[in-house]
């Protein structure tokens, strides 16, 4: 403490005057800044109110059924893009769900893209039918039907482990035998197809 230095301000009156003037100047700048911000806030609020009232008045004159075609088209396009993105990011979407989808969910809403309605009997899928024709959608082309049947055997609720094609005379139908571990045929899968090879229906028989 003995080495501490005491700083003394000059006792010159001119120095004190300049110091006080500087302080007053800074106070004035601060006050002006606050006033400017307040004025700008009032202006912006008034502008928002005026424009909101104008927009409401315009909508009231146009009526509820009116809309801007360009805006509507952009909204529809945006919705389609979101739907495609969700469909392409199945892993991320599934991870966000509280409950993991079943194999049947993956079949109906994943592989078949929600385009097919299913008929269930005693916990088993009895048939699938293409339902989106009126919406302009096209049925799916399942190139490897044997692999498709094998992959989703548990989803169909049928106890088979092998699939074997059956020769048919009808070009609008493709049939497969469903075979269990004991090499017994436990059922048949009938694909209804169109001239382009698209699957419009799938039914199971004993």
């Amino acid at each position: 403490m003995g080495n501490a230095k005491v700083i003394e301000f000059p006792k010159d009156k001119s120095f004190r005057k300049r110091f006080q003037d500087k302080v007053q100047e800074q106070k004035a700048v601060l006050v002006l800044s606050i006033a400017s911000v307040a004025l700008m806030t009032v202006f912006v609020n008034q502008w928002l109110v005026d424009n909101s009232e104008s927009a409401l008045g315009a909508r009231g004159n146009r009526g509820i059924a009116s809309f801007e075609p360009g805006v509507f088209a952009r909204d529809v396009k945006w919705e389609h893009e979101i739907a495609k993105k969700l469909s392409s990011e199945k892993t991320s979407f599934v991870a966000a769900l509280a409950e993991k989808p079943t194999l049947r969910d993956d079949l109906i809403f994943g592989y078949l893209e929600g385009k097919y309605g299913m008929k269930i009997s005693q916990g088993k899928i009895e048939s699938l039918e293409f339902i989106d024709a009126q919406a302009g959608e096209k049925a799916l082309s399942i190139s490897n039907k044997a692999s498709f049947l094998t992959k989703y055997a548990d989803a169909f609720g049928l106890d088979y482990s092998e699939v074997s094609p059956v020769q048919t005379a009808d070009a609008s139908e493709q049939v497969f035998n469903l075979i269990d571990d004991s090499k017994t045929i436990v059922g048949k899968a009938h694909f209804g197809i169109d001239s382009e090879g698209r699957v419009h229906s799938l039914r199971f028989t004993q």
Side-chain angles (χ1 to χ4, degrees):
M1 298 295 292
N3 296 327
K5 294 181 179 181
V6 178
I7 300 176
E8 295 183 357
F9 288 98
K11 296 181 180 180
D12 185 11
K13 292 182 179 181
S14 63
F15 173 81
R16 292 181 181 181
K17 182 66 169 62
R18 289 196 301 271
F19 181 76
Q20 290 174 355
D21 291 344
K22 188 66 174 178
V23 172
Q24 292 298 326
E25 182 181 347
Q26 291 177 349
K27 287 183 179 180
V29 171
L30 180 60
V31 170
L32 287 175
S33 299
I34 294 174
S36 299
V37 172
L39 182 62
M40 181 61 69
T41 301
V42 172
F43 174 78
V44 171
N45 287 339
Q46 186 62 42
W47 182 85
L48 290 174
V49 171
D50 292 343
N51 279 273
S52 297
E53 291 176 351
S54 299
L56 288 173
R59 282 198 291 271
N61 293 333
R62 287 199 302 268
I64 295 175
S66 299
F67 60 88
E68 295 293 337
V71 175
F72 179 75
R74 288 196 298 272
D75 289 344
V76 171
K77 183 178 180 181
W78 177 79
E79 290 176 0
H80 286 178
E81 290 176 351
I82 292 297
K84 289 180 181 179
K85 185 175 181 180
L86 287 176
S87 178
S88 64
E89 296 180 355
K90 292 179 183 178
T91 302
S92 299
F93 181 65
V94 169
L97 297 177
E99 183 178 349
K100 185 178 180 179
T102 64
L103 185 62
R104 184 173 292 180
D105 292 333
D106 181 65
L107 167 67
I108 300 299
F109 302 106
Y111 190 95
L112 298 179
E113 301 176 2
K115 296 181 178 182
Y116 293 76
M118 63 178 173
K119 182 179 180 182
I120 299 178
S121 177
Q122 298 179 348
K124 300 178 181 180
I125 295 180
E126 190 174 89
S127 63
L128 294 170
E129 193 79 22
F130 177 63
I131 58 175
D132 270 0
Q134 293 183 349
E137 297 286 347
K138 292 184 178 181
L140 300 177
S141 297
I142 302 176
S143 57
N144 193 332
K145 297 178 179 61
S147 177
F148 168 77
L149 290 170
T150 301
K151 178 179 179 179
Y152 292 105
D154 290 341
F156 295 127
L158 301 172
D159 187 17
Y160 65 90
S161 56
E162 295 182 29
V163 176
S164 177
V166 177
Q167 294 290 336
T168 60
D170 188 356
S172 64
E173 184 179 54
Q174 290 183 0
V175 182
F176 292 82
N177 284 330
L178 308 177
I179 306 168
D180 65 10
D181 292 334
S182 63
K183 305 301 180 182
T184 301
I185 297 176
V186 296
K188 294 181 182 293
H190 304 257
F191 289 89
I193 59 177
D194 60 17
S195 59
E196 297 180 348
R198 299 181 182 276
V199 177
H200 283 262
S201 65
L202 170 59
R203 60 187 178 89
F204 296 93
T205 60
Q206 295 294 325

